[in-house]
Amino acid sequence: MTATTRRDQSGAHPRREITVARIAELAGVSAPTVSKVINGHPGVSASTRRRVEELIRQHGWQRRPEVTGPAAILEILFQSLDSLWALEIIRGVDQVARTHGLAVAMTDMRGLHTPPPAWTDQVLARRPVGVIAVSANLSERQRAQLASRAIPLVALDPNGEPSHRIPSVGATNWNGGLTATRHLLELGHRRIAVIGGPPALLCCRARLDGHRAAIDAAGVPVDPALVRHGPLYVHGGLAEAQELLALPEPPTAIVTANDLQALGACQAARRAGLRVPEDLSVVGFDDLPLAQWSDPPLTTISQPLVKMGSTAATLIMSIAAGRPPDQHRIELATSLIVRQSTAPPRS
């Protein structure tokens, strides 16, 4: 038997060993071109790159062990890296990275949903230990490219329904929305408004659904005018709360999609000459460090952001070591933190 053939388990049918040269032969290109694709280097047309990657997937080609392994880097891909929320995630990832002697590299997509091809080329060239995609979507081709280089991928707080093929980490957003609204109902509020985040975000839809479940369970009539959506920033909460407080029958309490929106709602109350919580109760979501230092300190749903980051990084390290995860979807518990921004409504 030659070095380029082998027999199947029955010993009856010899077949070619898949090598870089064989992939090149099947694709009709040179071996250096296949090497460029494998290593994520530029200089290959998109159609050729797709053809080579498809052959790699079809034939199950795997890179032979090399003297140098992956770079000592954990890669985090953020849809948007512009809030303290992201900083808490980074802290959690860094805790795990440090114990393994790894550095943390970050990419900010500045609001894009899918990273550009240039990012993929750079990551394939770096060969990190793994990639954590935070509220970011990779295309099917980008996921296949990472898989072909044995670079693990974990989704953290994914935008949409997470794929069962991709391990993901999130929080109990539905229960958090339920708990926030139930807290206000127990205080005696019945006219409760909600400011949700962008409906395209799975976590925001889940929080809104939890709010609706609590309202429905309490038998409180639903007023569509009390349901709003806004950006997950202070200005989003401010704009929507101003409109809510200008209604002929304004709410006595507002549940928001995150702490930044809650701060905006508190600002809207002050501009309207109202006091929090005497005239308006406000509940946030996340429990960022700033929540306890706001005026008044913010009642909020605590989301274990640092733990979410460390859990995602631990998953990466496990997969990189050849240990597949026991479960592909991990949801960490949320909890209610009661401070001074909520109180019973005025009689």
Side-chain angles (χ1 to χ4, degrees):
M1 188 186 303
T2 69
T4 58
T5 63
R6 65 181 178 187
R7 296 183 182 274
D8 64 12
Q9 292 181 350
S10 68
H13 302 291
R15 60 189 177 92
R16 301 282 299 271
E17 181 81 33
I18 291 300
T19 63
V20 169
R22 178 59 176 157
I23 292 292
E25 179 185 341
L26 292 171
V29 298
S30 66
T33 296
V34 174
S35 181
K36 285 182 180 181
V37 174
I38 291 170
N39 291 288
H41 294 162
V44 181
S45 69
S47 60
T48 298
R49 189 180 294 275
R50 283 195 295 270
R51 188 162 69 253
V52 171
E53 288 170 349
E54 180 60 29
L55 286 167
I56 288 172
R57 287 194 296 273
Q58 287 178 4
H59 294 277
W61 182 87
Q62 292 184 348
R63 180 192 297 269
R64 292 183 177 182
E66 299 176 350
V67 175
T68 58
I73 296 172
L74 261 181
E75 189 99 16
I76 314 179
L77 175 66
F78 284 96
Q79 183 191 38
S80 184
L81 183 56
D82 60 355
S83 72
L84 293 175
W85 181 91
L87 180 60
E88 296 297 288
I89 296 291
I90 294 169
R91 285 178 55 203
V93 173
D94 186 60
Q95 288 177 1
V96 175
R98 283 174 179 269
T99 64
H100 291 85
L102 303 177
V104 177
M106 288 159 285
T107 299
D108 180 5
M109 296 199 301
R110 301 180 183 274
L112 294 176
H113 293 289
T114 303
W119 173 84
T120 313
D121 292 340
Q122 292 164 5
V123 169
L124 295 178
R126 282 195 292 270
R127 288 194 62 213
V129 172
V131 173
I132 300 172
V134 184
S135 299
N137 297 323
L138 272 67
S139 69
E140 184 70 31
R141 178 168 176 257
Q142 288 172 323
R143 294 196 294 268
Q145 286 177 301
L146 294 181
S148 71
R149 313 304 188 278
I151 300 175
L153 171 66
V154 169
L156 197 158
D157 214 11
N159 280 342
E161 186 66 28
S163 168
H164 293 295
R165 293 175 298 168
I166 303 173
S168 62
V169 177
T172 54
N173 290 293
W174 184 90
N175 189 70
L178 176 84
T179 302
T181 302
R182 184 177 288 168
H183 167 65
L184 294 170
L185 290 166
E186 291 172 350
L187 288 173
H189 293 275
R190 290 299 178 267
R191 192 158 175 80
I192 303 172
V194 58
I195 303 175
L201 297 181
L202 178 65
C203 62
C204 293
R205 295 200 306 272
R207 293 169 195 178
L208 180 58
D209 288 344
H211 161 79
R212 286 170 169 158
I215 291 291
D216 183 64
V220 176
V222 176
D223 183 350
L226 297 182
V227 179
R228 304 296 175 108
H229 297 276
L232 294 170
Y233 299 97
V234 173
H235 69 266
L238 172 62
E240 298 302 325
Q242 284 179 320
E243 291 190 10
L244 287 166
L245 296 176
L247 291 172
E249 189 178 353
T252 62
I254 298 177
V255 177
T256 61
N258 71 352
D259 290 343
L260 296 181
Q261 282 189 347
L263 294 180
C266 291
Q267 187 175 348
R270 287 192 291 271
R271 291 187 181 184
L274 303 176
R275 293 177 298 169
V276 176
E278 291 85 356
D279 303 307
L280 179 72
S281 288
V282 177
V283 181
F285 203 112
D286 284 339
D287 194 26
L288 297 176
L290 57 80
Q292 59 184 310
W293 303 114
S294 65
D295 184 20
L298 194 62
T299 294
T300 187
I301 297 296
S302 177
Q303 184 175 202
L305 297 171
V306 173
K307 182 67 179 295
M308 288 164 65
S310 65
T311 300
T314 300
L315 268 177
I316 287 284
M317 300 309 302
S318 178
I319 298 169
R323 298 187 299 271
D326 295 329
Q327 57 191 70
H328 274 64
R329 173 64 178 172
I330 298 175
E331 287 197 345
L332 303 179
T334 55
S335 58
L336 175 68
I337 306 297
V338 179
R339 298 194 179 99
Q340 283 77 58
S341 68
T342 52
R346 287 185 178 275
S347 301

